[in-house]
Structure formats: structure tokens, C-alpha cells
Amino acid sequence: MKEKLGEYIHNLRVQHGLTLTKLAAALDIDQSTLSKIENHKRNVPEEILPKLAKVFKLDIKKLEKEFYSEKIAEMIYRVSDSTELLTMAEEKAKYYRVSKVKQGNLKF
């Protein structure tokens, strides 16, 4: 997906013939919140992803990846060499995973 998540949600809603009101109700958010999401005036809240996946029969894991990739892209789009930055971030993520596993094995 190259478009922003809000635009993707808008396109899905239109393709499925849903009104803002109906989709907002299905997602348990206000119509005005959904409108702001679709118009890039508000970020997509992570909490709506499972409901969004259910409504449109989407793979939740793929949707979560799109969500996080958009967050990362928003943070790094001004950096000229984002490839190196992403490599460094992946190394840190691996370190955090290992650290969390070790901490999880502690017994008191």
C-alpha cells in the first residue's frame, strides 16, 4: 500500500458502499473522528485495527504492518539515507526482543 492508511480506509468504505456513519459505528468511533482520519487530519488509532480487519475481512497481521510502517515512514521521511536508519533500528529491535526474553525468564 503506497497510500496513507486514512486514504486506504476511505477507499475501502466507498468500495463497500458504507457511509461515514455506518463505518464509524462499526469501528466504535465518532463520525467526525473517522472523517478526520480519512482526511489525514488525525492518525489512525491502533485500537480500531481489529474492528477494521473484521469489517472489511482483512488480514490483521498485514494491517498491523501497514499501520506500523506508516508510523515509521512519518518519522523518517525527511532523512536522506533512511536505509541505514532502518538497518540500525532493526538491530535495536532485535536487541530489545532478546532483552525482553531474558527478562521474562526471571523468577522471584
Side-chain angles (χ1 to χ4, degrees):
M1 169 191 325
K2 289 187 180 180
E3 71 233 314
K4 288 188 172 187
L5 198 50
E7 186 178 346
Y8 179 66
I9 293 169
H10 171 79
N11 291 337
L12 283 171
R13 180 178 64 76
V14 171
Q15 288 170 6
H16 286 82
L18 295 173
T19 63
L20 269 171
T21 305
K22 286 186 180 183
L23 181 56
L27 300 176
D28 198 28
I29 59 175
D30 292 334
Q31 177 182 337
S32 64
T33 300
L34 179 57
S35 177
K36 289 174 185 172
I37 290 169
E38 288 187 358
N39 290 297
H40 317 295
K41 294 180 180 171
R42 183 170 178 167
N43 291 329
V44 176
E46 187 175 1
E47 306 83 51
I48 72 166
L49 297 180
K51 292 175 185 175
L52 191 63
K54 185 176 179 181
V55 169
F56 294 115
K57 297 177 178 53
L58 302 171
D59 178 349
I60 186 65
K61 293 295 182 191
K62 185 175 180 183
L63 190 58
E64 287 171 343
K65 287 178 184 177
E66 291 290 348
F67 174 82
Y68 290 118
S69 70
E70 183 165 303
K71 292 281 184 205
I72 293 166
E74 288 172 353
M75 289 189 289
I76 68 167
Y77 80 95
R78 290 187 182 110
V79 176
S80 61
D81 186 7
S82 58
T83 303
E84 182 181 359
L85 182 66
L86 290 170
T87 300
M88 293 169 66
E90 181 57 31
E91 289 171 7
K92 287 184 183 186
K94 287 177 185 176
Y95 172 78
Y96 291 158
R97 285 186 207 107
V98 170
S99 295
K100 295 284 184 189
V101 169
K102 287 180 183 176
Q103 289 177 3
N105 291 333
L106 296 176
K107 295 193 180 192
F108 296 97

